[in-house]
Amino acid sequence: MPLIFRIALSILLTILPAAAAGQGKVKLHGKVTDANNDPVEFTTVRIGGTATGTTTSLEGDYTLTCAKADTIVVYFSCIGFREVKKTLIDPQEDVALNVLLPMDTELLQQVEVVELKKQTGSVDRLDIKDIKRSPDASGGSVEAVLTTMAGVTGSNEMSSQYSVRGGSYDENSVYINGIEVYRPQLVSSGQQEGLSIINPDLVGAIGFSTGGFPAEYGDKMSSVLDITYRQPEAFEGSVSASLMGASLALGQGTKRFSQLHGIRYKKNSSLLSSMDTKGEYDPSFFDYQTSVTGRISERLTVSLLGNISLNRYLFTPANRTTTFGTSTDAKQFTVYFDGHERDRFETYFGALSVDWRPSRGTSLQLLGSGYLTNELVSYDISGEYWLDQAGTSDIGGELGVGRYHEHARNRLKASVLALTLRGQTAVNRQHTLSYGVSVQSEKIMDRSREWELRDSAGFSLPSLPDRLQMVYNLASHHDISSTRLSVWAQDAWKFNTSAGFFTLNAGVRLSHWSFNKETLVSPRVTLGFIPDRHPGWGFRVATGLYYQAPFYKEFRMPVTDGDGNRTIILNNQIKSQRSFHLIGGADYTFRSFGRPFRLSGEVYYKALSNLVPYEIDNLKIVYSGLNESSGHAMGLDMKLFGQFVPGSDSWISFSLMNTSENLRGVRVPRPTDRSYSLGLFFTDFFPKVPRLKFSLRGIFMQGLPSTSPHSSRDKGYFRMPPYKRVDAGLSYALVSPPKEGEPRTGLKRHLKSVWLGLDAFNLLDITNVASYYWVTDVNDIQYAVPNYLTRRQFNVRLSVDF
């Protein structure tokens, strides 16, 4: 063979294998999730025109290798979801492809739900589709639904604050898109609070834990509420209006970009006018939030979260008449007011995150956030009061007469800047490592001055022969800067054995605070188990050491001088409150009346130490500023969850709890102690009128311990009356949600649904007590005059989804 041909043949034999290798294989991998960002397990992933395919794991992950081609078509299908088709043009050797499967509404109407998902971890996933149309005086907030859960009790119907298993309102972490958010510090009543920081129109998924939560969540010792805002896939929107306000939400999404905006306005003057104190209520609450996500590439995503909240509360009281006591010893308290209250709460919040997937099993997120609050509470209110024996004059008469003057000029500015790096690495299908580090800078400016002058039966209180002294006064003038550093790591392990399916989450969290030079170590473990022999059962246990890192109110310590003047000093020796959790729980799924149900139960014990005692007056929490008590909380939480009516979720919960605190040598209940609570959330469609929906929300719980003003429980306390409230609502679908493939013409083709609703707040017109006003009669006897909450009110609402 000529030399030239042998050289050419040699070159050809060298090129062909290389070309074949270049046309070899393409590795596809990614995650399949639903609209709530939850993984969709057992999804079929197949390559069009071939027999190549696989299914997703329990975490929704998949890996697939196929022959390389100019165009590859990938199909994703799962029962209950619409099939998704993805076309890859000239794919490279390694392709990350994450897919969101939309629900198949037509198929779901034909598929019967045979079992509800069991909870094996410490964070439960909640369904939020019925929140917006549920009867709620606060406007359909997420927190209002939480207060019907086992182990959770709310403060009152005008507030979004809640207590979990005997903890204070400050012991609950709240996250939105992985960023911890804060509440205003100076709010002392539900009238001032306004809108919840969580916009229910934007919510896509809710995770909630009443204890034993993983190390990825911060230093609070009662609960975690983890909110994820949804990412629209196309243009969408909703608008609602009622007698108490209005809201608008707009969203738009493509493969590369999504945006979601929400505006809310609330003005609940009509609700406040049902209270005993009459006058001119002029509240105005405004909130704007946005969530924007841009997908730069398959591996790089940039997200923005923003919030502006402007809350104003103006009140000019006129008069008040309150009747209290018993049928045989009724008393009447009458006040005529002069003055006004002007409060302002402004919150600005923003966060920017960059998500990067350097490899198939690893994702990293760099997140920077800033929070700024500007709060002002200002009032000058005086009043003249009469305390009389109710009834005819021959039965009783005047018991006391007096006047008072309350003054406050409280100003607080706070800023929190945080930088966080977190990551997640899937070692294999069984192990997922999560880790993170965060540094946070805090600056707080506090300027407070408040006092109260009281004249009872012609004598100022306290009655001193040589001078006039306020019955109460307090001053604070502080500027503080501090830095917090936290590091955490955890491993989520899922594995099968001959006994059943196990999930194990173990981690540790370390944190340091520059203000008190304290370093904390918080180990946490959760174990879940579903037995093979009894798959209807699910069991879980959790334990860990949790800390309540002081923010600001906890280390404000009042000091009284010889003249009775109280001044706030900051205790830089304060230590974090500590709680050791021990939790055991079980879920049992079953069918009854042809419908699926889930019965859940948990028992818990929390050993509490380094406690900072506090007292509650309405929503105002006053801390002692010292680690001077210890205690415990234990109880039983039960919940029956099910679809009593197809397509509509309902539940009933019941809790028993015992809390105790050793306060200066005296054993007393904790300020949020409620021995029992019952919650109900029920929705039902009328069988013969499928467009008409009925919703019921009920709460019945024991009253809180209460003390006289500026006192503490070790000196004496009594129980408020039980809190009882039922809210009911009717919703009629003027335009029903469309069925799959249903043709629509005219204006209806632009609408998803239109609902007209009527709500009855406090349906049974029960007078619940928020707090007490204390007066002294001519015999130097003190009376606790109840400050009643709102009475029965009706509300009309209209909501449109498009």
Side-chain angles (χ1 to χ4, degrees):
M1 181 182 293
L3 179 61
I4 185 66
F5 287 104
R6 283 186 290 175
I7 295 175
L9 180 61
S10 176
I11 294 174
L12 185 62
L13 292 176
T14 303
I15 293 176
L16 286 177
Q23 296 177 353
K25 301 293 184 180
V26 174
K27 180 184 287 187
L28 303 177
H29 57 85
K31 189 169 187 175
V32 180
T33 58
D34 60 15
N36 293 329
N37 204 32
D38 291 328
V40 181
E41 57 192 32
F42 306 123
T43 299
T44 299
V45 184
R46 61 183 179 87
I47 306 300
T50 72
T52 304
T54 186
T55 58
T56 58
S57 66
L58 295 174
E59 294 80 28
D61 297 318
Y62 74 92
T63 300
L64 182 64
T65 302
C66 64
K68 188 172 183 180
D70 293 337
T71 301
I72 296 178
V73 181
V74 190
Y75 294 90
F76 299 82
S77 60
C78 185
I79 295 178
F81 297 88
R82 292 203 300 269
E83 185 177 69
V84 171
K85 173 185 174 182
K86 296 289 184 180
T87 302
L88 305 178
I89 305 298
D90 191 22
Q92 302 304 311
E93 296 180 1
D94 188 273
V95 177
L97 182 60
N98 298 322
V99 173
L100 188 148
L101 289 184
M103 300 291 288
D104 190 335
T105 54
E106 181 179 17
L107 181 60
L108 286 178
Q109 293 175 358
Q110 303 170 7
V111 175
E112 183 180 13
V113 179
V114 296
E115 185 180 8
L116 297 172
K117 186 177 181 180
K118 291 177 282 292
Q119 179 186 348
T120 56
S122 57
V123 180
D124 194 12
R125 299 295 170 182
L126 308 181
D127 190 352
I128 50 88
K129 63 183 179 182
D130 291 316
I131 286 182
K132 293 193 295 182
R133 287 190 292 273
S134 64
D136 171 26
S138 63
S141 68
V142 172
E143 294 90 342
V145 175
L146 290 184
T147 57
T148 63
M149 298 289 180
V152 185
T153 57
S155 51
N156 59 64
E157 66 272 11
M158 292 185 293
S159 171
S160 62
Q161 301 196 37
Y162 54 92
S163 168
V164 177
R165 292 178 173 174
S168 78
Y169 306 141
D170 295 329
E171 295 178 13
N172 308 305
S173 294
V174 180
Y175 291 82
I176 299 179
N177 288 1
I179 306 151
E180 186 170 10
V181 296
Y182 302 88
R183 300 178 185 274
Q185 299 290 300
L186 298 183
V187 168
S188 59
S189 67
Q191 296 94 304
Q192 301 170 321
E193 187 172 322
L195 293 161
S196 162
I197 193 171
I198 303 168
N199 188 335
D201 294 332
L202 311 185
V203 173
I206 301 176
F208 184 63
S209 173
T210 53
F213 39 89
E216 62 184 296
Y217 297 111
D219 295 317
K220 295 293 180 68
M221 63 182 191
S222 282
S223 76
V224 166
L225 176 60
D226 192 356
I227 301 294
T228 302
Y229 283 168
R230 68 181 186 275
Q231 295 182 10
E233 295 183 298
F235 178 76
E236 63 176 48
S238 66
V239 60
S240 64
S242 73
L243 298 180
M244 297 194 303
S247 67
L248 171 67
L250 293 174
Q252 178 265 337
T254 63
K255 292 182 178 180
R256 293 290 185 183
F257 179 78
S258 69
Q259 57 181 325
L260 192 60
H261 306 274
I263 297 176
R264 293 178 294 167
Y265 178 76
K266 181 179 178 181
K267 191 176 180 67
N268 57 347
S269 304
S270 60
L271 185 67
L272 298 178
S273 64
S274 67
M275 303 175 69
D276 281 352
T277 301
K278 307 303 179 183
E280 182 181 348
Y281 290 93
D282 187 20
S284 176
F285 308 119
F286 171 83
D287 174 88
Y288 167 73
Q289 296 190 31
T290 181
S291 177
V292 180
T293 301
R295 298 168 184 83
I296 309 302
S297 66
E298 292 293 338
R299 297 179 180 270
L300 185 63
T301 302
V302 178
S303 302
L304 172 68
L305 178 67
N307 169 236
I308 299 175
S309 177
L310 305 175
N311 297 328
R312 306 284 192 276
Y313 177 70
L314 307 179
F315 176 46
T316 303
N319 61 78
R320 164 183 173 174
T321 300
T322 301
T323 302
F324 65 101
T326 64
S327 59
T328 58
D329 186 22
K331 295 176 176 58
Q332 182 172 286
F333 180 65
T334 304
V335 189
Y336 293 96
F337 297 101
D338 186 23
H340 59 262
E341 178 177 357
R342 298 177 183 271
D343 304 332
R344 182 177 72 245
F345 302 93
E346 299 176 349
T347 300
Y348 305 92
F349 174 75
L352 179 67
S353 65
V354 178
D355 295 81
W356 181 48
R357 296 181 64 94
S359 64
R360 179 173 60 89
T362 299
S363 62
L364 299 173
Q365 182 186 60
L366 180 63
L367 192 153
S369 64
Y371 166 84
L372 173 66
T373 181
N374 182 12
E375 306 175 26
L376 173 65
V377 174
S378 170
Y379 57 80
D380 270 293
I381 297 177
S382 61
E384 297 185 357
Y385 66 83
W386 288 262
L387 178 65
D388 302 304
Q389 194 78 37
T392 58
S393 58
D394 58 333
I395 295 179
E398 186 177 276
L399 297 176
V401 61
R403 62 182 302 151
Y404 68 91
H405 187 172
E406 295 178 343
H407 167 94
R409 294 293 186 274
N410 298 335
R411 182 74 176 267
L412 185 139
K413 290 185 177 181
S415 64
V416 179
L417 302 178
L419 184 65
T420 302
L421 176 64
R422 61 163 62 101
Q424 188 176 81
T425 300
V427 180
N428 49 45
R429 288 199 171 191
Q430 293 183 325
H431 288 273
T432 301
L433 299 177
S434 302
Y435 39 87
V437 59
S438 175
V439 60
Q440 179 171 296
S441 173
E442 301 171 358
K443 293 184 178 180
I444 298 174
M445 183 205 78
D446 178 18
R447 304 287 187 270
S448 298
R449 179 70 179 176
E450 57 187 45
W451 51 261
E452 180 182 355
L453 175 65
R454 187 174 299 181
D455 183 316
S456 181
F459 296 94
S460 64
L461 298 177
S463 181
L464 301 175
D466 57 343
R467 67 183 185 275
L468 177 66
Q469 183 171 309
M470 305 297 174
V471 67
Y472 165 75
N473 71 89
L474 183 69
S476 178
H477 188 289
H478 292 287
D479 294 277
I480 178 176
S481 298
S482 63
T483 302
R484 301 179 194 263
L485 177 67
S486 58
V487 180
W488 58 271
Q490 67 184 38
D491 181 19
W493 184 21
K494 299 182 179 181
F495 57 96
N496 276 299
T497 69
S498 58
F501 176 69
F502 287 86
T503 62
L504 176 64
N505 187 301
V508 63
R509 187 178 187 91
L510 288 83
S511 57
H512 178 80
W513 188 26
S514 64
F515 180 75
N516 62 355
K517 308 298 189 296
E518 182 183 33
T519 301
L520 307 174
V521 180
S522 173
R524 310 173 187 184
V525 179
T526 302
L527 176 66
F529 172 59
I530 299 177
D532 275 350
R533 292 188 177 183
H534 305 282
W537 284 93
F539 302 93
R540 59 190 176 275
V541 293
T543 186
L545 189 60
Y546 294 83
Y547 292 91
Q548 176 76 16
F551 182 65
Y552 181 65
K553 292 189 295 185
E554 289 95 325
F555 56 90
R556 298 173 79 243
M557 185 169 62
V559 177
T560 305
D561 63 17
D563 295 327
N565 299 313
R566 306 179 78 197
T567 305
I568 292 294
I569 65 173
L570 303 183
N571 179 14
N572 61 3
Q573 301 299 315
I574 194 77
K575 299 299 180 183
S576 296
Q577 302 177 85
R578 186 168 58 224
S579 176
F580 174 72
H581 291 196
L582 186 60
I583 302 169
D587 285 359
Y588 176 61
T589 56
F590 63 97
R591 294 182 62 81
S592 182
F593 305 105
R595 303 305 306 157
F597 291 88
R598 186 183 76 186
L599 178 63
S600 299
E602 279 193 350
V603 294
Y604 62 91
Y605 179 83
K606 298 194 292 186
L608 310 173
S609 57
N610 282 347
L611 293 180
V612 180
Y614 64 92
E615 304 297 337
I616 297 179
D617 181 13
N618 200 339
L619 296 182
K620 186 176 183 179
I621 300 179
V622 181
Y623 291 90
S624 72
L626 293 170
N627 301 103
E628 54 181 340
S629 69
S630 59
H632 75 265
M634 59 182 180
L636 168 68
D637 293 337
M638 301 290 293
K639 178 182 174 182
L640 177 62
F641 175 93
Q643 293 186 351
F644 297 91
V645 176
S648 185
D649 297 329
S650 302
W651 60 81
I652 183 171
S653 65
F654 177 69
S655 298
L656 295 173
M657 181 176 66
N658 172 265
T659 70
S660 180
E661 184 177 355
N662 186 355
L663 183 57
R664 304 178 188 96
V666 180
R667 184 66 63 177
V668 294
R670 300 215 71 201
T672 52
D673 177 79
R674 299 186 192 267
S675 298
Y676 59 86
S677 63
L678 177 69
L680 173 67
F681 186 85
F682 181 76
T683 55
D684 190 1
F685 287 98
F686 286 81
K688 295 185 179 181
V689 189
R691 289 174 175 261
L692 188 61
K693 186 176 184 179
F694 173 74
S695 300
L696 186 69
R697 176 178 172 269
I699 296 176
F700 176 58
M701 55 189 177
Q702 186 186 32
L704 294 174
S706 183
T707 67
S708 59
H710 319 300
S711 183
S712 55
R713 283 156 293 135
D714 58 309
K715 299 176 182 178
Y717 68 91
F718 65 97
R719 286 273 182 184
M720 291 183 181
Y723 182 91
K724 297 168 284 186
R725 184 177 177 92
V726 176
D727 297 329
L730 288 174
S731 298
Y732 182 78
L734 300 177
V735 177
S736 299
K739 297 180 180 179
E740 186 71 20
E742 177 187 358
R744 284 188 169 180
T745 59
L747 181 62
K748 284 187 176 182
R749 64 191 177 92
H750 300 291
L751 301 176
K752 290 182 181 179
S753 63
V754 179
W755 292 86
L756 179 64
L758 174 65
D759 297 325
F761 302 139
N762 197 358
L763 179 65
L764 304 181
D765 199 25
I766 298 172
T767 52
N768 292 303
V769 177
S771 58
Y772 291 92
Y773 182 81
W774 291 76
V775 298
T776 306
D777 69 6
V778 293
N779 298 314
D780 201 30
I781 299 175
Q782 284 190 317
Y783 294 89
V785 181
N787 297 316
Y788 290 121
L789 289 163
T790 58
R791 304 292 294 271
R792 183 192 294 128
Q793 279 286 309
F794 294 96
N795 180 50
V796 178
R797 51 185 165 78
L798 176 68
S799 62
V800 180
D801 293 332
F802 54 89

